[in-house]
Every structure is written in C-alpha cells, then in structure tokens.
C-alpha cells in the first residue's frame, strides 16, 4: 500500500536547498522534534516561505517523519556522519526517497524520474510541466493551473541542477537558460551501501513480506533499477557485490531468475552507509 506523502505544490516555488534543510534538521534535533515553524524562523535565517517549504522537502527526502519535525533514522545517521548533508551517500538517498513509488516524495516525482527523465535526451521545463499535468489528470483527476505546473517543474529541475541541491549527482545540467532547456547525463553510480539500504526500503514497502523477488522486476525502468538510472547489467553488478557481502542471494541456474533477501533489518544496512 502507498504510504502518506507530501503534496504536489509543497515547494512554495523553490527548489531543494540543502543548507536550509540541514538547518531545519539541526533545530529539530536540538528540540527533539518539538518544533514549530515559528521556532525554526527564530533559530535560523530562513524566510517565511522557506520555513514552509524546507521542512516539506526534508519529509519528502526521508529526513523528517511526515507531518512532524521528528528526525528519521536516516536523518540521525546523516547528521552524525554528514551534518551538512553533502556526501554522495546522503544526496543519493534524498533522491531515492523523493523518487520512490511508495513515497514519501510527491506522487509525480516517481513518474518524472522513471518515465520523463531520459539519459542523453534534452529536457525542457515545458516537458516537465506537461508530464506533471498529464500524470495528475490521469491518476488523481485533478487539474493544476498552468502557473502551478510551471513552478513545480522549475522546482523539480532546480533540485537536480543546482549545486546547493542535488546537482552533485550530475544528472541534470542547465543547457540554455533562456529556453529552460536542460541536459540529462548519466550520473556516477551510487555507492554500494546506498543501493543496499534503498533496496531494503523498497523491498519492505512493496513486496508485502516476500523473501524473494524476480530479478526482471527489480531491473525494470519503472522498478528499482530505474530509480538509480541503472540498466540490467549495472543492477546485476551491484547485486553480485551484495551477494558477496551476504546481503542477497541470486538464483541464476534457470529462469525466472530470483533475488532472495538475506538481511535481517534495514538498521544493519544503515550502519554501513557512512562506514
């Protein structure tokens, strides 16, 4: 079942800003989650709209529990090892949580990552806006204004293009500002333990307790591999490494090929993220 997730227009027209999200996490941590927007405004330099938008980004990125200012286990691990949220491990997992089909990111984010963003194909702001509008109409029967769609598209693209957001992943780069065109590049592969931790989260959310999943399902563009822009070959390489590490077992003796989970819980994988 899909989890609760943040709304389509959560962004207040802004892209993700990691220093701002990090400041929200620090205040939330200091107050043990007993925080209000007024406290964040008083204890940071965030403006009134950032005070609204950045906690929502933090929730969509898997750093705050939805509807609260409580840090998630991922956020606690990140603050301990990467307090400025700038390591590739943290950035990839923020991307993963925004993009996962089960949330907590907004519903359209997964659609864009798995069906609209294509490596090597230029991407325009109008393309993203149109894709969001079409998705919302088909899935929710809701219609957003053109202005809301365009600001949402701008927030999405800026989140991947800006250096103080997820730009370090190298996925999207502004090509022609006047026309709102972006180049989409093959990003560097995520670290192994990012893939392991994300796989455990994905598996537990979508497999309904199954101990095995079909390799072909994990490798689909709209499946796990697509979230990290991996083809079947790259996914196979990662899974082989995780098999060597005792995290999964892959049965390739005869089709259909099956992946079996061997981890006990996500905590053991999270502990290796920043090792």
């Amino acid at each position: 079942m899909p989890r609760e997730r943040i709304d389509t227009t959560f962004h207040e027209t802004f892209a993700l800003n990691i220093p701002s999200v990090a400041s929200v996490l620090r205040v939330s941590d200091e107050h043990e989650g007993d925080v209000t927007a007024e406290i964040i405004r008083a204890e940071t330099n965030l403006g009134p709209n950032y005070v609204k938008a950045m906690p929502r980004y933090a929730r969509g990125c898997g750093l705050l529990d939805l509807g609260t200012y409580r840090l998630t286990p991922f956020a606690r691990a990140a603050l301990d090892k990467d307090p400025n949220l700038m390591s590739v491990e943290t950035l990839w997992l923020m991307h993963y949580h925004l993009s996962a089909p089960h949330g907590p990111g907004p519903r359209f984010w997964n659609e864009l990552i798995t069906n609209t963003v294509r490596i090597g194909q230029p991407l325009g702001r109008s393309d993203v806006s149109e894709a969001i509008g079409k998705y919302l109409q088909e899935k929710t029967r809701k219609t957003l204004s053109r202005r809301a769609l365009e600001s949402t598209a701008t927030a999405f693209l800026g989140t991947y293009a800006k250096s103080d957001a997820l730009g370090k992943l190298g996925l999207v780069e502004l090509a022609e500002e006047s026309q709102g065109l972006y180049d989409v590049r093959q990003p560097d592969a995520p670290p192994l333990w990012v893939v392991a931790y994300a796989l455990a989260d994905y598996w537990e959310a979508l497999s309904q307790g199954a101990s095995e999943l079909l390799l072909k399902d994990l490798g689909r563009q709209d499946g796990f591999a697509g979230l990290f822009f991996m083809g079947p070959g790259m996914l196979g390489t990662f899974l082989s490494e995780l098999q060597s590490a005792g995290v999964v077992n892959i049965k390739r003796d005869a089709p259909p090929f099956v992946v079996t989970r061997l981890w006990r819980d996500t905590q053991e994988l999270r502990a290796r993220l920043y090792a």
Side-chain angles (χ1 to χ4, degrees):
M1 290 293 292
R3 301 174 186 171
E4 184 184 356
R5 52 209 312 163
I6 58 176
D7 293 333
T8 300
T9 53
F10 71 96
H11 48 77
E12 299 288 324
T13 76
F14 297 111
L16 169 68
N17 182 274
I18 286 178
S20 299
V21 168
S23 69
V24 170
L25 295 188
R26 285 191 286 269
V27 172
S28 298
D29 188 33
E30 290 167 4
H31 291 269
E32 298 182 342
D34 187 14
V35 175
T36 63
E38 289 73 22
I39 291 174
I40 292 176
R41 180 93 185 268
E43 298 189 15
T44 67
N45 61 357
L46 303 186
N49 289 328
Y50 258 45
V51 165
K52 295 177 184 177
M54 294 307 139
R56 296 172 187 162
Y57 268 110
R59 295 174 188 125
C61 290
L63 295 163
L64 293 177
D65 287 332
L66 284 169
T68 77
Y69 290 93
R70 294 191 303 269
L71 272 63
T72 64
F74 164 44
R76 294 196 178 281
L79 277 186
D80 182 43
K81 301 294 186 179
D82 180 31
N84 293 322
L85 309 181
M86 289 305 294
S87 76
V88 292
E89 288 84 358
T90 302
L91 298 180
W92 268 119
L93 283 174
M94 292 170 73
H95 156 78
Y96 163 75
H97 286 296
L98 281 168
S99 308
H102 52 279
R107 295 182 186 279
F108 73 85
W109 211 281
N110 171 263
E111 172 70 12
L112 294 179
I113 290 298
T114 58
N115 288 302
T116 303
V117 177
R118 289 285 182 267
I119 305 299
Q121 296 184 12
L123 188 63
R125 187 176 292 111
S126 60
D127 300 323
V128 176
S129 175
E130 182 180 341
I132 296 170
K134 182 179 179 181
Y135 174 79
L136 293 175
Q137 179 63 35
E138 290 179 352
K139 299 298 182 180
T140 69
R141 303 301 179 191
K142 293 181 179 179
T143 301
L144 287 184
S145 69
R146 180 178 178 180
R147 181 177 180 181
L149 288 172
E150 289 177 348
S151 68
T152 301
T154 299
F156 174 85
L157 289 165
T159 291
Y160 287 100
K162 292 187 175 184
S163 60
D164 57 4
L166 300 181
K168 191 175 179 180
L169 297 181
L171 176 64
V172 170
E173 182 177 295
L174 183 62
E176 194 167 347
E177 186 168 10
S178 63
Q179 296 186 28
L181 287 176
Y182 293 76
D183 291 327
V184 181
R185 306 182 185 280
Q186 179 67 53
D188 290 338
L192 178 65
W193 293 103
V194 165
V195 175
Y197 181 68
L199 177 62
D201 178 83
Y202 180 92
W203 194 302
E204 292 177 10
L206 299 178
S207 71
Q208 299 180 339
S211 61
E212 297 182 337
L213 289 178
L214 293 178
L215 178 57
K216 68 175 184 178
D217 288 342
L218 289 174
R220 289 163 54 107
Q221 177 62 36
D222 60 354
F224 179 75
L227 300 177
F228 292 98
F229 307 97
M230 293 189 289
M234 185 183 293
L235 175 65
T237 298
F238 272 113
L239 291 175
S240 293
E241 292 184 40
L242 292 176
Q243 179 171 254
S244 298
V247 175
V248 300
N249 184 57
I250 312 167
K251 298 177 183 177
R252 288 195 174 103
D253 50 342
F257 303 144
V258 172
V259 181
T260 303
R261 57 174 290 175
L262 300 180
W263 69 85
R264 293 183 298 276
D265 56 49
T266 54
Q267 181 177 349
E268 65 181 279
L269 302 179
R270 186 168 58 247
R272 304 188 69 164
L273 277 174
Y274 300 100

